[in-house]
Amino acid sequence: MPGSVITLKEEIKQWILSHPELKVIVDVGAGSGTYPKYVDWDNWGDDILDRKRFHEWIAIEIFEPYVELFKLKDFYDEILIGDIYDRIDLPPVADLIIFGDILEHLDKDKANYVLHKALKYYKHVIVSIPVDGREG
């Protein structure tokens, strides 16, 4: 699914904006680009190409057609194509990694492996997964 429900996005946005030390953010399973759009959108001007961004965004996306379909190059500074399980041992340097509605798509062992590696490589990790149709 390329997009996420907005249930906890406001809390995530406020947390990110309250941590000015966060400069580079990795968005795993970028899909339609929900996080950079939602977190930095209010700070962009009317012309999306003339925006002043507050964060550098790196996408890790398994489904390459989403790059063109959702114009991800407009929202991300770097886009890495591939499975997070295969990429987690070569992590981009960043302050925060977000797993937004993505870990539930991995089997339990792979999800645990990815999460443990993320906790090793990144100072901040945000995990959002749907629980009974809600996000949590």
Side-chain angles (χ1 to χ4, degrees):
M1 180 182 332
S4 297
V5 292
I6 300 297
T7 310
L8 291 177
K9 299 299 184 280
E10 183 61 27
E11 289 86 351
I12 292 170
K13 174 184 177 177
Q14 291 308 317
W15 186 88
I16 290 171
L17 295 177
S18 71
H19 288 78
E21 75 276 10
L22 300 176
K23 302 297 183 208
V24 181
I25 300 172
V26 176
D27 183 8
V28 179
S32 62
T34 300
Y35 283 97
K37 290 176 186 176
Y38 193 67
V39 170
D40 285 341
W41 184 263
D42 292 339
N43 302 315
W44 296 348
D46 292 335
D47 183 350
I48 197 166
L49 298 177
D50 291 334
R51 69 195 185 276
K52 177 186 176 195
R53 294 200 305 200
F54 288 77
H55 302 97
E56 178 182 339
W57 289 89
I58 300 171
I60 298 178
E61 176 54 57
I62 196 168
F63 193 60
E64 190 169 10
Y66 284 169
V67 174
E68 293 301 320
L69 180 65
F70 296 112
K71 299 179 177 24
L72 295 182
K73 291 179 182 175
D74 289 345
F75 304 102
Y76 293 93
D77 300 283
E78 184 177 355
I79 299 171
L80 307 172
I81 302 299
D83 187 324
I84 186 59
Y85 181 77
D86 298 327
R87 298 197 71 91
I88 196 65
D89 285 313
L90 301 169
V93 176
D95 305 301
L96 166 67
I97 188 167
I98 300 173
F99 296 98
D101 301 340
I102 194 69
L103 290 178
E104 70 274 12
H105 296 285
L106 302 175
D107 70 45
K108 185 177 178 180
D109 290 338
K110 286 185 176 183
N112 281 330
Y113 178 81
V114 166
L115 191 54
H116 285 278
K117 289 291 185 166
L119 291 167
K120 175 182 175 183
Y121 294 133
Y122 296 95
K123 184 175 181 181
H124 301 285
V125 177
I126 292 177
V127 176
S128 175
I129 57 171
V131 179
D132 296 330
R134 301 170 313 206
E135 201 170 1

